[in-house]
Amino acid sequence: MSFVQIQCTRCKSVFRDRAGRLQDGYSRQCPRCEVVLFFAEDSQHPFVKRAMRNARKARKEQREAEAARRAAPEPRAERSFAGRGRSVGRED
């Protein structure tokens, strides 16, 4: 799970939110001054643009890491049977 830093357009404080949430149409309230920030791809505010760009980049990196993890062969655990030998004198 990746997080993106967001700078408030009003009070200039910085807070974090999940990159998966920051998509077109998302809105979030600043924890400090309680102004509502609207996130849109065509926003003119540089703080919103930067947050959206960073979120897009973080989601892309997360997808690529997931694809690489799926493409890599899973390591098979070698089973060890040490100490589980048959008893020679015992027949059922």
Side-chain angles (χ1 to χ4, degrees):
M1 190 176 336
S2 57
F3 288 88
V4 175
Q5 288 191 344
I6 303 165
Q7 189 170 6
C8 178
T9 57
R10 181 176 175 195
C11 68
K12 310 297 187 257
S13 67
V14 178
F15 57 96
R16 298 179 340 152
D17 204 349
R18 292 182 183 164
R21 289 183 181 173
L22 259 79
Q23 295 183 11
D24 198 25
Y26 178 68
S27 61
R28 166 80 195 257
Q29 194 171 16
C30 173
R32 185 172 173 202
C33 69
E34 298 181 355
V35 69
V36 177
L37 302 172
F38 294 96
F39 297 93
E41 293 293 334
D42 58 348
S43 175
Q44 296 300 314
H45 205 284
F47 297 158
V48 174
K49 280 184 179 181
R50 183 185 322 134
M52 294 293 283
R53 185 175 52 246
N54 291 342
R56 241 187 342 266
K57 183 179 175 184
R59 286 193 306 268
K60 181 181 177 184
E61 289 173 356
Q62 194 171 10
R63 280 193 309 267
E64 289 173 351
E66 182 68 28
R69 195 168 40 244
R70 287 182 182 171
E74 293 183 21
R76 295 188 64 180
E78 294 292 326
R79 290 189 170 186
S80 174
F81 294 104
R84 289 189 179 186
R86 270 193 203 173
S87 355
V88 178
R90 187 171 176 196
E91 289 185 19
D92 289 330

